[in-house]
Amino acid sequence: MTHLELMSELLAKDPGFIGMTLGDFSDADMLARPTPAANHAAWQMGHLIVAEHGMINSVTPGSIPELPAGFADKFKKETARSDDPSAFPRKAELLDLFGKIRGATVQWARKLTSTDLDKQTPEKLRSWCPSVAHLVAMLPQHVAMHVGQFQVIRRKLGKPVLF
């Protein structure tokens, strides 16, 4: 197995990881905050989708399908404070869209060559993902960080500890 095959396999597992973590969340649970200043799971899921869409398409334009009209506007820094259920998609929509975006990311990653991996990322990503290889490696870390935040929400809601 090559390093890229391994990374592609790890990328492909993230939708299941998130689905397991949020599986018993209701749409109302998706808006719970562990502390007043923390982001709720609905906003975090949208953030994961918008961020991945933007990062991959900034490296290889058109690799990730377009987001629904107005979707990205719901997940800007300014909207993170909103608790209005009508401002965010339902849990099922978020999980479905994340799966589609991540599926396109996996297909993109599987097509990369060694030369592609060595290419610099666009300037806006370069300080923390200097190369395409760094970007591929960072994506599962980004998901894991948010899953850790979801675990705190789980505890606040009194849900079973998963790990």
Side-chain angles (χ1 to χ4, degrees), residues 79-139:
T79 62
R81 306 290 3 121
S82 176
D83 292 319
D84 178 1
S86 68
F88 300 99
R90 299 175 69 80
K91 178 184 93 168
E93 295 172 63
L94 290 165
L95 293 177
D96 182 61
L97 187 55
F98 179 78
K100 288 177 182 172
I101 296 300
R102 181 48 66 93
T105 297
V106 170
Q107 293 307 310
W108 166 79
R110 286 182 176 150
K111 294 176 188 173
L112 294 172
T113 65
S114 294
T115 302
D116 294 329
L117 292 171
D118 290 336
K119 289 180 183 173
Q120 280 191 327
T121 55
E123 185 65 36
K124 65 182 179 180
L125 302 177
R126 211 167 290 152
S127 66
W128 48 280
C129 284
S131 71
V132 172
H134 287 93
L135 176 58
V136 172
M138 182 279 306
L139 291 170

Side-chain angles (χ1 to χ4, degrees), residues 4 7-8 15 25 50-51 66 84 103 113 123 133 135:
L4 193 52
M7 290 308 301
S8 296
F25 273 43
V50 171
E66 286 305 310
D84 178 1
T113 65
E123 185 65 36
L135 176 58

Side-chain angles (χ1 to χ4, degrees), residues 24-66:
D24 58 354
F25 273 43
S26 67
D27 286 318
D29 291 342
M30 293 292 288
L31 296 172
R33 296 177 189 275
T35 65
N39 296 327
H40 52 64
W43 189 88
Q44 290 183 67
M45 282 302 304
H47 159 74
L48 283 168
I49 293 164
V50 171
E52 188 158 321
H53 177 270
M55 288 185 285
I56 303 303
N57 278 339
S58 74
V59 170
T60 311
S63 295
I64 307 298
E66 286 305 310

